[in-house]
Amino acid sequence: MALPTAVGATPVPRKPNSSKKPSAGEIDRFVGTRIRERRITLGLTQQELAERIGVTYQQAHKYERGINRISAGRLYNIAAALEVQVAYFFEGIDNPVRSNFSQRQRMCLELARNFTHITNQRHQEALSHLARALAGEDQQES
């Protein structure tokens, strides 16, 4: 039974002329990508994820890249830290069409995350006004 697919259009890499199930390495990379996408969606850094699951930044990076295999127990902890069910990481693996964050989406998420860390309300308001002004300039140039 195929799991539901996520929205998007990037297939999981498969070996040429192969209709077999993905290899263990391909699954590791797919799961790692899903971890990364969820982390970014929540506005977490790799360091913050690492702290939540009790590993080093380097280890979290290796999980996201699919370099190191993730044990079942660790995947359970990652799911809890990212507020999803374990099955989330495998959604779309049998019918590999998934979303990719664009560079612009990543910048927007990073901007939002950094904005929430600004404690001075006047600075937040100034940044908000600046963003509106710059957006207005872009519209006038078009």
Side-chain angles (χ1 to χ4, degrees):
M1 177 172 144
L3 294 171
T5 60
V7 178
T10 303
V12 172
R14 300 276 172 99
K15 293 177 183 164
N17 302 323
S18 175
S19 61
K20 295 187 276 182
K21 297 286 183 187
S23 70
E26 291 168 337
I27 293 170
D28 292 340
R29 285 186 294 281
F30 184 87
V31 169
T33 298
R34 296 286 288 166
I35 291 169
R36 183 172 188 270
E37 288 176 351
R38 180 64 181 166
R39 174 183 60 77
I40 290 170
T41 298
L42 293 177
L44 297 173
T45 65
Q46 281 184 336
Q47 181 63 45
E48 290 168 330
L49 174 61
E51 289 169 2
R52 286 185 179 197
I53 62 174
V55 299
T56 63
Y57 159 83
Q58 292 86 353
Q59 186 63 42
H61 175 76
K62 289 178 182 180
Y63 288 153
E64 288 187 4
R65 301 286 299 169
I67 296 168
N68 285 9
R69 186 149 298 152
I70 304 170
S71 71
R74 178 75 68 206
L75 189 58
Y76 181 84
N77 291 338
I78 292 170
L82 296 177
E83 303 168 3
V84 293
Q85 297 294 316
V86 172
Y88 167 86
F89 302 115
F90 299 96
E91 288 176 359
I93 199 147
D94 288 335
N95 189 2
V97 177
R98 19 173 233 86
S99 66
N100 270 340
F101 283 112
S102 69
Q103 183 62 29
R104 183 180 176 100
Q105 288 170 313
R106 285 189 190 104
M107 278 194 298
C108 288
L109 288 168
E110 184 178 355
L111 180 62
R113 179 180 63 233
N114 291 334
F115 185 85
T116 63
H117 287 98
I118 298 171
T119 56
N120 184 311
Q121 186 173 353
R122 286 183 35 210
H123 291 167
Q124 283 185 333
E125 290 170 2
L127 185 56
S128 181
H129 289 294
L130 175 63
R132 278 195 294 275
L134 292 173
E137 284 179 15
D138 287 347
Q139 289 174 0
Q140 291 172 4
E141 292 175 8
S142 297

